[in-house]
Short mmCIF file of all heavy atoms in Angstrom, two decimals:
data_model
loop_
_atom_site.label_atom_id
_atom_site.label_comp_id
_atom_site.label_asym_id
_atom_site.label_seq_id
_atom_site.Cartn_x
_atom_site.Cartn_y
_atom_site.Cartn_z
N GLY A 148 -96.20 -118.82 -99.96
CA GLY A 148 -95.64 -117.61 -100.58
C GLY A 148 -94.55 -116.94 -99.77
O GLY A 148 -94.06 -115.89 -100.15
N GLY A 149 -94.18 -117.53 -98.64
CA GLY A 149 -93.11 -116.99 -97.83
C GLY A 149 -93.59 -116.17 -96.64
O GLY A 149 -92.81 -115.88 -95.73
N ASP A 150 -94.87 -115.80 -96.64
CA ASP A 150 -95.38 -115.01 -95.51
C ASP A 150 -96.51 -115.73 -94.78
O ASP A 150 -97.27 -115.12 -94.04
CB ASP A 150 -95.82 -113.61 -95.97
CG ASP A 150 -96.89 -113.65 -97.05
OD1 ASP A 150 -97.21 -114.76 -97.55
OD2 ASP A 150 -97.42 -112.58 -97.40
N ASP A 151 -96.62 -117.05 -94.98
CA ASP A 151 -97.65 -117.83 -94.29
C ASP A 151 -97.35 -117.92 -92.80
O ASP A 151 -96.19 -118.01 -92.39
CB ASP A 151 -97.72 -119.26 -94.84
CG ASP A 151 -98.07 -119.32 -96.31
OD1 ASP A 151 -98.09 -118.27 -96.97
OD2 ASP A 151 -98.33 -120.43 -96.81
N LYS A 152 -98.42 -117.91 -91.99
CA LYS A 152 -98.30 -118.12 -90.54
C LYS A 152 -99.34 -119.15 -90.14
O LYS A 152 -100.45 -119.19 -90.69
CB LYS A 152 -98.55 -116.81 -89.78
CG LYS A 152 -97.64 -115.67 -90.18
CD LYS A 152 -96.18 -115.95 -89.90
CE LYS A 152 -95.31 -114.78 -90.36
NZ LYS A 152 -93.89 -115.10 -90.28
N GLU A 153 -98.99 -119.98 -89.16
CA GLU A 153 -99.93 -121.03 -88.74
C GLU A 153 -99.64 -121.45 -87.31
O GLU A 153 -98.56 -121.21 -86.77
CB GLU A 153 -99.84 -122.23 -89.66
CG GLU A 153 -98.49 -122.93 -89.64
CD GLU A 153 -98.42 -124.11 -90.60
OE1 GLU A 153 -98.77 -123.93 -91.79
OE2 GLU A 153 -98.00 -125.19 -90.16
N HIS A 154 -100.64 -122.08 -86.72
CA HIS A 154 -100.47 -122.66 -85.39
C HIS A 154 -101.49 -123.78 -85.23
O HIS A 154 -102.63 -123.67 -85.66
CB HIS A 154 -100.67 -121.62 -84.29
CG HIS A 154 -100.21 -122.09 -82.95
ND1 HIS A 154 -98.99 -121.72 -82.42
CD2 HIS A 154 -100.78 -122.91 -82.04
CE1 HIS A 154 -98.83 -122.29 -81.23
NE2 HIS A 154 -99.92 -123.02 -80.98
N GLU A 155 -101.06 -124.86 -84.58
CA GLU A 155 -101.94 -126.00 -84.32
C GLU A 155 -102.21 -126.10 -82.82
O GLU A 155 -101.29 -126.01 -82.01
CB GLU A 155 -101.31 -127.29 -84.82
CG GLU A 155 -102.21 -128.51 -84.66
CD GLU A 155 -101.63 -129.74 -85.32
OE1 GLU A 155 -100.64 -130.29 -84.78
OE2 GLU A 155 -102.13 -130.14 -86.38
N TYR A 156 -103.47 -126.29 -82.48
CA TYR A 156 -103.89 -126.44 -81.10
C TYR A 156 -104.34 -127.89 -80.91
O TYR A 156 -105.12 -128.42 -81.72
CB TYR A 156 -105.05 -125.49 -80.81
CG TYR A 156 -105.47 -125.44 -79.36
CD1 TYR A 156 -104.88 -124.55 -78.47
CD2 TYR A 156 -106.48 -126.27 -78.89
CE1 TYR A 156 -105.28 -124.49 -77.14
CE2 TYR A 156 -106.89 -126.21 -77.57
CZ TYR A 156 -106.29 -125.33 -76.70
OH TYR A 156 -106.69 -125.28 -75.39
N VAL A 157 -103.87 -128.53 -79.84
CA VAL A 157 -104.13 -129.95 -79.61
C VAL A 157 -105.02 -130.14 -78.40
O VAL A 157 -104.75 -129.58 -77.32
CB VAL A 157 -102.80 -130.73 -79.41
CG1 VAL A 157 -103.08 -132.21 -79.19
CG2 VAL A 157 -101.88 -130.53 -80.61
N ILE A 158 -106.06 -130.92 -78.58
CA ILE A 158 -106.95 -131.30 -77.47
C ILE A 158 -106.73 -132.78 -77.22
O ILE A 158 -107.02 -133.63 -78.07
CB ILE A 158 -108.42 -131.04 -77.82
CG1 ILE A 158 -108.63 -129.56 -78.13
CG2 ILE A 158 -109.33 -131.50 -76.69
CD1 ILE A 158 -109.94 -129.26 -78.80
N THR A 159 -106.18 -133.10 -76.06
CA THR A 159 -105.90 -134.48 -75.70
C THR A 159 -107.05 -135.06 -74.91
O THR A 159 -107.53 -134.43 -73.97
CB THR A 159 -104.60 -134.57 -74.88
OG1 THR A 159 -103.54 -133.97 -75.63
CG2 THR A 159 -104.22 -136.02 -74.59
N ASP A 160 -107.48 -136.24 -75.31
CA ASP A 160 -108.54 -136.98 -74.62
C ASP A 160 -109.81 -136.15 -74.42
O ASP A 160 -110.26 -135.93 -73.29
CB ASP A 160 -108.03 -137.50 -73.28
CG ASP A 160 -108.91 -138.63 -72.74
OD1 ASP A 160 -109.59 -139.29 -73.55
OD2 ASP A 160 -108.94 -138.83 -71.52
N PRO A 161 -110.43 -135.69 -75.53
CA PRO A 161 -111.69 -134.96 -75.38
C PRO A 161 -112.77 -135.86 -74.79
O PRO A 161 -112.73 -137.09 -74.97
CB PRO A 161 -112.04 -134.55 -76.81
CG PRO A 161 -111.29 -135.52 -77.68
CD PRO A 161 -110.05 -135.89 -76.93
N ALA A 162 -113.71 -135.28 -74.07
CA ALA A 162 -114.80 -136.06 -73.49
C ALA A 162 -115.55 -136.79 -74.60
O ALA A 162 -115.81 -136.21 -75.66
CB ALA A 162 -115.74 -135.14 -72.72
N LYS A 163 -115.86 -138.05 -74.36
CA LYS A 163 -116.50 -138.89 -75.39
C LYS A 163 -118.02 -138.80 -75.31
O LYS A 163 -118.60 -138.66 -74.24
CB LYS A 163 -116.07 -140.36 -75.22
CG LYS A 163 -114.57 -140.59 -75.17
CD LYS A 163 -113.91 -140.29 -76.48
CE LYS A 163 -112.45 -140.69 -76.51
NZ LYS A 163 -111.58 -139.94 -75.63
N GLU A 164 -118.63 -138.89 -76.48
CA GLU A 164 -120.09 -138.96 -76.63
C GLU A 164 -120.81 -137.82 -75.93
O GLU A 164 -121.88 -137.98 -75.35
CB GLU A 164 -120.61 -140.32 -76.17
CG GLU A 164 -120.07 -141.47 -77.02
CD GLU A 164 -120.71 -142.80 -76.73
OE1 GLU A 164 -121.93 -142.83 -76.46
OE2 GLU A 164 -120.01 -143.82 -76.79
N THR A 165 -120.22 -136.63 -76.00
CA THR A 165 -120.85 -135.41 -75.50
C THR A 165 -120.26 -134.25 -76.30
O THR A 165 -119.17 -134.36 -76.86
CB THR A 165 -120.61 -135.23 -73.99
OG1 THR A 165 -121.41 -134.14 -73.53
CG2 THR A 165 -119.15 -134.96 -73.68
N TRP A 166 -120.99 -133.16 -76.36
CA TRP A 166 -120.47 -132.00 -77.07
C TRP A 166 -119.40 -131.31 -76.24
O TRP A 166 -119.60 -131.00 -75.08
CB TRP A 166 -121.60 -131.02 -77.38
CG TRP A 166 -122.48 -131.50 -78.50
CD1 TRP A 166 -123.73 -132.02 -78.40
CD2 TRP A 166 -122.15 -131.51 -79.90
NE1 TRP A 166 -124.21 -132.35 -79.64
CE2 TRP A 166 -123.25 -132.05 -80.58
CE3 TRP A 166 -121.04 -131.11 -80.64
CZ2 TRP A 166 -123.28 -132.20 -81.96
CZ3 TRP A 166 -121.06 -131.26 -82.01
CH2 TRP A 166 -122.16 -131.80 -82.66
N ASN A 167 -118.24 -131.10 -76.85
CA ASN A 167 -117.14 -130.34 -76.27
C ASN A 167 -117.17 -128.95 -76.91
O ASN A 167 -116.93 -128.83 -78.11
CB ASN A 167 -115.80 -131.00 -76.59
CG ASN A 167 -115.62 -132.35 -75.93
OD1 ASN A 167 -115.04 -132.45 -74.88
ND2 ASN A 167 -116.15 -133.42 -76.55
N SER A 168 -117.51 -127.93 -76.14
CA SER A 168 -117.52 -126.56 -76.66
C SER A 168 -116.17 -125.92 -76.35
O SER A 168 -115.77 -125.83 -75.20
CB SER A 168 -118.64 -125.76 -76.00
OG SER A 168 -119.89 -126.26 -76.39
N LYS A 169 -115.49 -125.50 -77.40
CA LYS A 169 -114.16 -124.93 -77.25
C LYS A 169 -114.13 -123.50 -77.78
O LYS A 169 -114.58 -123.24 -78.90
CB LYS A 169 -113.11 -125.77 -78.01
CG LYS A 169 -113.01 -127.20 -77.53
CD LYS A 169 -112.52 -127.28 -76.11
CE LYS A 169 -112.43 -128.70 -75.61
NZ LYS A 169 -112.04 -128.78 -74.21
N ALA A 170 -113.61 -122.59 -76.97
CA ALA A 170 -113.34 -121.22 -77.39
C ALA A 170 -111.88 -120.96 -77.06
O ALA A 170 -111.52 -120.78 -75.90
CB ALA A 170 -114.26 -120.24 -76.67
N ILE A 171 -111.05 -121.00 -78.07
CA ILE A 171 -109.60 -120.93 -77.89
C ILE A 171 -109.13 -119.51 -78.16
O ILE A 171 -109.46 -118.92 -79.21
CB ILE A 171 -108.90 -121.91 -78.86
CG1 ILE A 171 -109.39 -123.35 -78.60
CG2 ILE A 171 -107.38 -121.83 -78.72
CD1 ILE A 171 -109.10 -124.31 -79.73
N LEU A 172 -108.39 -118.95 -77.22
CA LEU A 172 -107.84 -117.61 -77.41
C LEU A 172 -106.87 -117.61 -78.58
O LEU A 172 -105.91 -118.40 -78.61
CB LEU A 172 -107.12 -117.15 -76.15
CG LEU A 172 -107.99 -116.53 -75.06
CD1 LEU A 172 -107.20 -116.41 -73.76
CD2 LEU A 172 -108.51 -115.16 -75.51
N LEU A 173 -107.10 -116.75 -79.54
CA LEU A 173 -106.19 -116.66 -80.68
C LEU A 173 -104.80 -116.21 -80.24
O LEU A 173 -103.80 -116.57 -80.86
CB LEU A 173 -106.77 -115.72 -81.74
CG LEU A 173 -108.02 -116.24 -82.45
CD1 LEU A 173 -108.64 -115.14 -83.31
CD2 LEU A 173 -107.71 -117.48 -83.28
#
Side-chain angles (χ1 to χ4, degrees):
D150 58 353
D151 299 9
K152 304 297 179 188
E153 64 182 51
H154 193 100
E155 184 173 72
Y156 187 89
V157 180
I158 300 166
T159 303
D160 198 24
K163 307 293 188 293
E164 297 189 36
T165 189
W166 286 105
N167 294 264
S168 293
K169 300 295 179 184
I171 301 162
L172 276 167
L173 292 171

